[in-house]
Amino acid sequence: MANPLMNESVWFHQQKFEQAEAHYQQILAGTATPGQIAGGSVPPGKMDSLERENRELRKVTDELRAMVLKLENRVSALERGSGVPAASASAPAAATPSKPADDDDDEDDDDMFGSDDEEEAAELERLKAERVAAYKAKKASKPTLIAKSNIILEVKPWDDETDMKELEQKVREVSTDGLKWGSSKLVPVGYGINKLQIMCVVVDDKVGTDFLEESITAHEDFVQSVDVVAFNKI
């Protein structure tokens, strides 16, 4: 069976809503508390639940506030350690206007550094030149070691009729810088033939055995051959 009021516009809870509106106005006026309801009071169990929720919300709020303070203190400590002021750290990097580059200052800086490099290079060159000069002077002051050798030559005549005194004279006539003749003697070979054994001192850089042999055998009327029998460094 159809409800005869289904098509009627009826507000069955109008009284409850009016009481709630009046209670809200009393709360605003300070004559009532949120725990009270118009025409009655909140049940004890509901009041305990509300108070418990209120305490929990206050606890969460206190924890959140403590966490925020802790984070702020940590950020401040980090900013002090890095040397960045708090104000500049909190501001966006893009908000800080950059100073326009001064071309003249850059050129002056380049010239300054360039001058330092040139002066340093010049100083290094001067020190190098002084050290080279000191080394050359030290080397020049040292006595030069002259290498010399003691050579004994045997000069053979053609036959027993060769005048050995004249042959020795011809040998001693060989003269050059770095050659000094020493003692000599005649050594018998056989059949009345003697050979001349003569000593000389030579400077190695100036006189060699090839020179001595060629110079002595040039007296071909007296000399048959020349042999080196001893060669000692002195």
Side-chain angles (χ1 to χ4, degrees), residues 170-171 174-175 209-219 226:
K170 296 293 184 183
V171 171
V174 176
S175 178
T209 57
D210 293 339
F211 169 79
L212 294 174
E213 292 176 4
E214 291 176 1
S215 299
I216 294 173
T217 55
H219 301 286
V226 177

Side-chain angles (χ1 to χ4, degrees), residues 134-203:
Y135 171 77
K136 290 182 178 179
K138 183 177 180 180
K139 186 177 180 180
S141 63
K142 291 183 177 181
T144 304
L145 180 62
I146 301 176
K148 295 182 180 180
S149 299
N150 188 1
I151 303 175
I152 298 178
L153 302 173
E154 283 186 351
V155 183
K156 296 179 181 178
W158 287 105
D159 50 34
D160 58 347
E161 295 180 357
T162 301
D163 188 347
M164 298 304 294
K165 290 184 179 181
E166 189 173 358
L167 183 146
E168 180 179 353
Q169 183 179 356
K170 296 293 184 183
V171 171
R172 291 182 181 276
E173 287 177 357
V174 176
S175 178
T176 186
D177 184 26
L179 170 63
K180 183 177 181 180
W181 293 106
S183 61
S184 64
K185 65 179 180 178
L186 296 177
V187 179
V189 177
Y191 304 101
I193 300 175
N194 294 318
K195 60 182 178 182
L196 176 66
Q197 193 173 85
I198 186 169
M199 182 182 68
C200 65
V201 176
V202 299
V203 176

Side-chain angles (χ1 to χ4, degrees), residues 55-72:
R55 287 194 299 269
E56 292 177 355
L57 289 174
R58 187 180 296 108
K59 180 180 180 182
V60 172
T61 303
D62 293 340
E63 291 178 353
L64 290 175
R65 184 182 295 106
M67 185 180 297
V68 171
L69 292 175
K70 184 176 181 181
L71 289 175
E72 290 180 353

Side-chain angles (χ1 to χ4, degrees), residues 29-66:
T31 59
T33 62
Q36 296 177 346
I37 298 178
S41 60
V42 179
K46 185 65 175 177
M47 179 62 70
D48 294 339
S49 177
L50 291 175
E51 291 180 354
R52 185 169 55 254
E53 291 179 359
N54 190 21
R55 287 194 299 269
E56 292 177 355
L57 289 174
R58 187 180 296 108
K59 180 180 180 182
V60 172
T61 303
D62 293 340
E63 291 178 353
L64 290 175
R65 184 182 295 106

